[in-house]
Amino acid sequence: QSVLTQPPSVSGAPGQTVTISCTGSSSNIGEGYVVHWYQQVPRAAPKLLIFGNTNRPSGVPDRFSGSKSGTSASLAITGLQAEDEADYYCQSYDSSLSDWVFGGGTKLTVL
Amino acid sequence: QVQLQQWGAGLLKPSGTLSLTCAVSGGSFGGYYWTWIRQPPGKGLEWIGEINHWGTSKYKPSLRSRVTMSVDTPKNQFSLRLTSVTAADTATYFCARVAKDRGADYWGQGTLVTVSS
């Protein structure tokens, strides 16, 4: 049971838009801690996709965007491409646990 | 280009000690939190802890009694020791660079550590 809750899977056709939610609580996202998002393809290390709720590292396409509101955050992917098929994880910090916390991960399937 | 290269034993017996090292090249060693994260087979990510170039460390509370991290600043390396391992510690272990509020932007290649008798 992850502290941050993500849907186990989402899917979309090429060109479509998908959104992945990340629901936390008042001791993590709701307390103002930033949310980061990672993309992980099989047998590879995760890749930082969004940091500080809404910021993209250099080299990440602007098809990827992050948002945060209250105790939740979201990752939106527009113009889906086959190469976007991967697992996506959100991450924040929890003050009551004194611990980084991750979502359980969401598997994106491009139909 | 920042690179993290990690190494260590991949097969351990129960009650043994996990030992991994990560070497950083191509960037500054100071000003970051050098972090270990693990991922059990088929499961999600779990933060283990972090250390800075001064040697100040912070560990996951549930692992604190078994974890030690160290840093060799002149060599730009940092290490992880996890004692009394069990099958539950079987995972791919990643080292990563973290800047405050900027996430883990560079990662090592990962090391699969299997605990089995």
Side-chain angles (χ1 to χ4, degrees), chain A residues 36-40 46-48 87-89 91 102, chain B residues 103-104 107:
Chain A
H36 313 302
W37 290 90
Y38 301 89
Q39 177 194 58
Q40 186 180 32
K47 170 189 173 183
L48 182 64
D87 293 325
Y88 293 83
Y89 294 91
Q91 178 251 311
F102 285 94
Chain B
W107 295 67

Side-chain angles (χ1 to χ4, degrees), chain B residues 7-31:
Chain B
W7 64 88
L11 181 61
L12 296 173
K13 294 189 184 305
S15 78
T17 297
L18 179 156
S19 182
L20 298 172
T21 298
C22 185
V24 181
S25 60
S28 170
F29 197 63

Side-chain angles (χ1 to χ4, degrees), chain B residues 27-41:
Chain B
S28 170
F29 197 63
Y32 298 98
Y33 301 95
W34 301 100
T35 300
W36 291 96
I37 293 165
R38 69 181 181 180
Q39 184 173 37

Side-chain angles (χ1 to χ4, degrees), chain A residues 25-48:
Chain A
S25 67
S26 58
S27 60
N28 42 68
I29 298 175
E31 194 169 329
Y33 292 104
V34 295
V35 177
H36 313 302
W37 290 90
Y38 301 89
Q39 177 194 58
Q40 186 180 32
V41 297
R43 293 172 297 282
K47 170 189 173 183
L48 182 64

Side-chain angles (χ1 to χ4, degrees), chain A residues 34 36 38 40 43-48 51-52 89 91 93 97-105, chain B residues 35 37 39 43-47 50 58-61 64 94 98 101-105 107-109:
Chain A
V34 295
H36 313 302
Y38 301 89
Q40 186 180 32
R43 293 172 297 282
K47 170 189 173 183
L48 182 64
F51 68 90
Y89 294 91
Q91 178 251 311
Y93 180 82
L97 298 174
S98 295
D99 199 354
W100 276 33
V101 288
F102 285 94
Chain B
T35 300
I37 293 165
Q39 184 173 37
K43 297 188 178 180
L45 301 166
E46 179 182 48
W47 178 79
E50 64 189 31
K58 183 178 179 182
Y59 305 139
K60 185 179 186 67
R64 189 173 292 140
F94 296 99
V98 173
D101 288 342
R102 296 180 69 89
D105 58 355
W107 295 67
Q109 78 274 22

